[in-house]
Amino acid sequence: MTVELQVDEGWLTVCELSDMTPGRGVAVLLPDGSQAAVFLGRSGWTYAIDNQDPFTGAAVLSRGLVGCVDGQPFVASPLLKQRFDLASGRCLDDEKAAVRTYPVRTAVTSGAPV
């Protein structure tokens, strides 16, 4: 199974699902040079948001702490600890801030590796 993000060019394969660790994120370089942070939850959900922390400008959200509040997963920035809802991208600690979200899916890998 592969993890894919929807970007302007279509669906982009970013990694194998088996390469991800539940409860952790990975940084992904996108075709336009920006980065996304992709997360795999302990219950199997996948989310993708912009990797850039809007408060510091650093590309670090993939290294944040994953948690859950009222059943909704979030990531806390490893720098200033603001929490971002993984489904909507909104900041749970400052209503004026948000990060971009990306549609994400898992797909069955077809054929043998080349």
Side-chain angles (χ1 to χ4, degrees):
M1 300 266 306
T2 60
V3 178
E4 300 177 343
L5 299 184
Q6 189 173 28
V7 294
D8 292 338
E9 296 82 4
W11 288 99
L12 174 69
T13 300
V14 296
C15 66
E16 292 290 327
L17 185 62
S18 61
D19 291 336
M20 296 189 70
T21 302
R24 308 269 320 261
V26 296
V28 175
L29 183 62
L30 301 177
D32 67 2
S34 65
Q35 294 181 26
V38 183
F39 298 90
L40 173 63
R42 288 180 177 86
S43 61
W45 49 256
T46 53
Y47 287 100
I49 61 172
D50 188 35
N51 195 34
Q52 187 173 5
D53 180 334
F55 294 95
T56 65
V60 295
L61 293 181
S62 64
R63 293 183 275 164
L65 301 172
V66 177
C68 199
V69 63
D70 296 328
Q72 187 58 46
F74 68 84
V75 63
S77 172
L79 298 178
L80 301 177
K81 308 302 184 238
Q82 284 91 354
R83 300 169 300 155
F84 296 92
D85 182 304
L86 290 174
S88 69
R90 71 182 178 87
C91 180
L92 302 176
D93 303 300
D94 184 339
E95 63 186 38
K96 296 176 187 161
V99 293
R100 178 181 175 182
T101 61
Y102 296 87
V104 61
R105 70 182 184 187
T106 55
V108 176
T109 307
S110 61
V114 177

